[in-house]
Amino acid sequence: MVDPVVASRLQFALTTIVHIVFPVMSMGLAPFLVYFTWKEIRTGEVLYERLRRFWTKIFAVSFAVGTVTGLVLEFEFGTNFAAFSETAGALFGGPLAAEGMMAFFLEATFLGVFVFGRERVSDRLYFLSSVMVGLGTWLSAVWILVANSWMQTPRGFEMATKNGHPVVLLTDPVAAYANPRFPWMFVHMQNAAVLSVALFMAGVAAYHLYRRRHLNVVDTGNLDATFWQTTLKVAIVALVISAPFQAIHGDAYGRHVAETQPQKFAAMEAVWETDSYVPEYIIAFPTSVEDLTNPRAKDIFGIGIPGGASWLASGGDPSAEITGLNEFESSPPVAVVFWSFRAMVALGFWFIALAFWAAYRWRTGELLEDHLLHKALMASSLLGILGVELGWIVTEVGRQPWVIQGVMKTSDSVSQNLGSTEALATLVGFAVVYFALLSVYSYVVARIIRTGPAGPVPDDYDQPRDPESPTPTREVPADD
């Protein structure tokens, strides 16, 4: 029979990996929607109205599916991880309740105005609704990351017992909720979401431009080159800003991890023995078949930067000492953390190269003619989300076997009365349901992308309106 601890961990990992796609899409799209709405109201150009309508469709679908898949995660704390809830519920429940009461209702309320209210409310109120939707989306991340970051660097609490069970008592809310990890996680996550959506938008625009590569001027109707050119240029601007920033911030974030979670950092670098001048391995493989299954294999073939890991841990000293995993009582699955970290970093450097490649072609006036760039953007459209998934694997798997770092182990957090049959049944059930939801979501988004911006294009398509004239209105199709 399946170990209920293993089944519960697999179930939570599965549901989290699928769910995170939708918040990333909504958080990343939010600033773009605010920009398109501001430009639409300020200039009156139909171009920005169509941009706002098109990307709002994908935002709304992502919000709906993300809400459904996110609620299940909170239920799992009660069904599969009741021991964790009993121990940390008094502290952990606060941020989750705030996320529901503050962020979700703010986002859901103004999303109704934003989606259906363009012809029903004033420009000012409509722009406010776009800002409130974006604010609600990012506030959700605030409270979720407050809870998660506390599990990484717990502060502001003391342990007690209640009916013989260990419980966490909140003693300092500021220290707990503004714990050292929170600002690092929030900035890294939000920038990753913007970067991921910028890659997605660039890939979608490149797809349409590549399909219609014989067009290089404004077309009419759905064959609208300007729509996709503008989408691509806005995405490139976001990429040029967010991709280098993610690498710079990630470097500083790595030093913070080395200081606060040395065990996780050692796993990221696969450092077993405490040592100095530790290289930053780009690749590393065991040299014998027997060692392939030995996580402590000594004979490895590796290509690395001498002193690179020590330099990363210390912030510039290649001779700095790194505490090895052998100094700790237990260690996470090192290979998973090691390779996830390298894949994430490699993607980050690829995103920087792609951003500046696109910017260079834009500057030289060859943005529409470089079909190799279009193919690269199309191939990379989902790699940002893959990078987010890899980052979460490093974050969550890297702190194992702890669910609350240094306080509670994951094996102690699973519901005590959960049997193997129930755990396996729910694992299979959620796998089927989440795969179905992801498939439906992918189909709907792909259909929206293939259809493109709906609606006829007027003759004064890209002409700004007279600021003294009333806001233009037009008849839109029922399915727009």
Side-chain angles (χ1 to χ4, degrees), residues 104-118:
F104 176 75
F105 283 117
L106 178 68
E107 185 180 2
T109 300
F110 280 95
L111 184 60
V113 178
F114 187 64
V115 173
F116 302 109
R118 182 65 185 98

Side-chain angles (χ1 to χ4, degrees), residues 398-447:
R399 73 176 151 161
Q400 299 301 320
W402 301 99
V403 64
I404 305 173
Q405 184 72 42
V407 176
M408 185 180 198
K409 291 188 174 180
T410 306
S411 56
D412 298 328
S413 67
V414 176
S415 304
Q416 298 300 312
N417 57 352
L418 183 66
S420 300
T421 304
E422 293 93 336
L424 180 60
T426 54
L427 170 61
V428 174
F430 277 115
V432 172
V433 171
Y434 270 61
F435 178 76
L437 283 171
L438 187 60
S439 299
V440 171
Y441 172 81
S442 301
Y443 171 78
V444 171
V445 171
R447 190 168 185 272

Side-chain angles (χ1 to χ4, degrees), residues 25 71 176 306 340 444 456:
M25 289 298 295
L71 286 174
S340 297
V444 171

Side-chain angles (χ1 to χ4, degrees), residues 18 70 79 133 136 174 176 179 181 232 260 376 382 467 480:
V18 175
T79 56
V133 168
V174 175
N179 66 82
R181 180 58 53 83
L232 180 57
T260 56
L382 298 179
D480 190 12

Side-chain angles (χ1 to χ4, degrees), residues 105-360:
F105 283 117
L106 178 68
E107 185 180 2
T109 300
F110 280 95
L111 184 60
V113 178
F114 187 64
V115 173
F116 302 109
R118 182 65 185 98
E119 285 79 27
R120 297 176 176 84
V121 300
S122 67
D123 286 354
R124 185 170 300 179
L125 180 56
Y126 191 73
F127 177 69
L128 177 65
S129 71
S130 71
V131 174
M132 289 296 105
V133 168
L135 180 63
T137 304
W138 282 44
L139 272 178
S140 288
V142 168
W143 291 113
I144 295 299
L145 293 179
V146 161
N148 187 279
S149 61
W150 179 80
M151 296 163 70
Q152 307 285 339
T153 53
R155 301 285 190 280
F157 73 100
E158 65 180 25
M159 297 302 297
T161 57
K162 182 178 181 180
N163 299 326
H165 192 87
V167 293
V168 170
L169 297 180
L170 179 63
T171 57
D172 186 345
V174 175
Y177 296 145
N179 66 82
R181 180 58 53 83
F182 169 70
W184 293 101
M185 293 188 76
F186 181 75
V187 173
H188 210 63
M189 183 68 213
Q190 299 311 98
N191 192 67
V194 173
L195 172 58
S196 300
V197 167
L199 283 165
F200 182 73
M201 293 175 69
V204 171
Y207 163 74
H208 281 278
L209 290 171
Y210 185 77
R211 285 180 60 197
R212 299 158 182 163
R213 52 190 179 277
H214 57 288
L215 299 174
N216 57 8
V217 295
V218 175
D219 200 351
T220 58
N222 267 346
L223 298 177
D224 179 7
T226 297
F227 181 94
W228 296 116
Q229 290 172 27
T230 305
T231 299
L232 180 57
K233 290 178 179 178
V234 170
I236 290 172
V237 171
L239 280 174
V240 169
I241 296 172
S242 61
F245 178 76
Q246 193 73 350
I248 295 169
H249 185 266
D251 175 61
Y253 189 0
R255 289 195 291 278
H256 170 73
V257 172
E259 293 169 1
T260 56
Q261 289 180 299
Q263 179 185 3
K264 179 187 291 186
F265 187 85
M268 289 161 56
E269 302 296 344
V271 179
W272 289 97
E273 304 291 344
T274 300
D275 203 354
S276 303
Y277 292 102
V278 179
E280 177 71 32
Y281 281 111
I282 300 172
I283 59 172
F285 296 102
T287 56
S288 66
V289 176
E290 294 77 15
D291 282 345
L292 287 175
T293 57
N294 178 13
R296 296 175 183 267
K298 299 290 186 184
D299 299 326
I300 61 172
F301 170 75
I303 299 176
I305 303 170
S310 294
W311 184 88
L312 178 63
S314 62
D317 181 7
S319 64
E321 183 179 273
I322 296 179
T323 304
L325 289 164
N326 286 334
E327 302 290 332
F328 301 94
E329 180 183 349
S330 56
S331 61
V334 177
V336 175
V337 181
F338 178 86
W339 284 113
S340 297
F341 178 66
R342 266 141 196 81
M344 178 187 67
V345 172
L347 286 175
F349 282 112
W350 167 241
F351 299 155
I352 294 173
L354 194 59
F356 284 97
W357 178 10
Y360 174 73

